DNA sequence: CAGTATCCTCGCAGATACTG
DNA sequence: CAGTATCTGCGAGGATACTG
């Protein structure tokens, strides 16, 4: 059988991956965060085949992550732009980027530092926080089914401490 | 030509995706966060083919995201466990999960609420924060090449405000 | 239990030419 | 510029049987 789709997985993570988890979508989102707007700019930046880019843009449009906006200059016919849903991926992108900068940055690879535009200081590392702002580690959190959840779904084990 | 690898992309995001960005790896990590430990448990939970699981585990081991630990009971020969590098994916996982719960949760899908184990309150939504703890939006941040970065790489455009 | 080995299928993706 | 259309193929991924 071919690739398995995650649409029917009863898990936010899986569903999310089904919308933005493929190889190119997240990089497209990243480029949109970085200011790319036109089809050609994206194609050139990413080095992706045009038909693949078309497909990914279509999916992102369908999922409401991006939208088409009027062009800003004569060089482009219109501009791709992140929707609110897309902009809401900012924490994900920053968390990924910070993890990458910390753990996987390889030889000759630029560490991209995300800074506060006001003072130029780097943004804080992303942390999981409780309501009293205390930082929470893996051992201090649990995953519970929210309201309306299926009690005996397969996600029973609530994030136990690993150590 | 076949699939393009992201290893040579000069961008943390791309490099990160090369390590954990494929369809199954993140779900494996998620299951490890959730307490799964054995090969069979992972295979059953995810419904992934055994050879694929083997391959992903091997890659995650090579990248140092997971490690093998002694078994805890008679049913398992040893246990897979997240390393520090792997546990550091917690903000990414939480951010993804929260995004999914907010935007892509579909019909009959349980919203997984991550809570503080002390008081049972949900953890705060992941936010990008400045050093003074102010929340930063897309318009208020910039991406700069960090120390040792290649100035004229292709990632020049520093996150301009989209609106 | 925890994999390995094999076979096979189809989806992802690259290249390129063409249209509006 | 912004795609669409078509051809091609690698290899990811599934199924299953086998091993230690």
């Amino acid at each position: 059988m071919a690739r398995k789709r995650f649409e029917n997985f009863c898990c936010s993570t899986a569903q999310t991956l089904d919308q933005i988890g493929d190889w190119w979508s997240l990089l497209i989102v990243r480029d949109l965060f970085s200011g790319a707007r036109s089809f050609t700019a994206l194609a050139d930046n990413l080095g992706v085949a045009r038909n693949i880019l078309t497909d990914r843009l279509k999916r992102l449009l369908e999922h409401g992550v991006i939208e088409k906006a009027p062009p800003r200059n004569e060089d482009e016919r219109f501009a791709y732009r992140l929707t609110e849903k897309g902009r809401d991926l900012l924490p994900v992108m920053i968390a990924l980027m910070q993890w990458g900068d910390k753990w996987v940055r390889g030889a000759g690879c630029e560490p991209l530092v995300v800074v506060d535009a006001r003072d130029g200081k780097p943004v804080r590392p992303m942390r999981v926080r409780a309501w009293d702002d205390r930082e929470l580690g893996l051992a201090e959190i649990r995953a519970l089914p929210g309201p309306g959840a299926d009690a005996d779904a397969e996600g029973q084990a609530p994030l136990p401490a690993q150590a």
Side-chain angles (χ1 to χ4, degrees), chain A:
Chain A
M1 211 188 294
R3 258 275 318 289
K4 190 167 297 189
R5 299 264 86 170
F6 293 130
E7 296 166 3
N8 301 325
F9 266 56
C10 232
C11 155
S12 305
T13 311
Q15 302 244 336
T16 299
L17 290 181
D18 200 69
Q19 290 202 9
I20 54 155
D22 70 282
W23 291 96
W24 289 116
S25 296
L26 252 191
L27 289 177
I28 292 173
V29 170
R30 171 191 167 275
D31 267 27
L32 291 176
F33 273 131
S34 301
R37 298 170 150 280
S38 70
F39 185 91
T40 307
L42 289 169
D44 292 349
N45 277 351
L46 296 173
V48 61
R50 305 172 80 80
N51 48 351
I52 300 300
L53 180 56
T54 298
D55 179 76
R56 289 306 118 88
L57 290 174
K58 192 179 299 177
R59 292 194 53 159
L60 290 172
L61 281 167
E62 285 169 1
H63 288 313
V65 176
I66 64 177
E67 64 190 355
K68 286 189 176 186
R72 312 197 86 205
N73 56 47
E74 271 301 324
D75 288 347
E76 54 190 28
R77 292 217 274 182
F78 42 76
Y80 287 102
R81 195 170 47 173
L82 294 166
T83 61
E84 186 197 348
K85 180 175 177 180
R87 288 192 298 272
D88 249 7
L89 282 169
L90 186 62
V92 175
M93 298 296 302
I94 301 292
L96 269 175
M97 197 182 299
Q98 289 179 342
W99 189 82
D101 277 338
K102 178 172 180 184
W103 290 106
V104 308
R105 206 176 68 236
C109 221
E110 97 236 50
L112 255 200
V113 178
V114 180
V115 301
D116 185 341
R118 292 171 304 165
D119 53 18
K121 286 185 184 169
V123 302
R124 297 180 87 101
M126 300 294 289
R127 301 285 183 218
V128 179
R129 292 176 180 223
W131 281 103
D132 59 9
D133 261 0
R134 197 172 70 99
E135 182 183 342
L136 295 175
L138 181 54
E140 297 147 325
I141 63 177
R142 295 182 178 282
L144 298 178
D150 206 355
D152 47 12
E154 123 285 340
Q156 65 298 61
L159 297 180
Q162 294 261 349

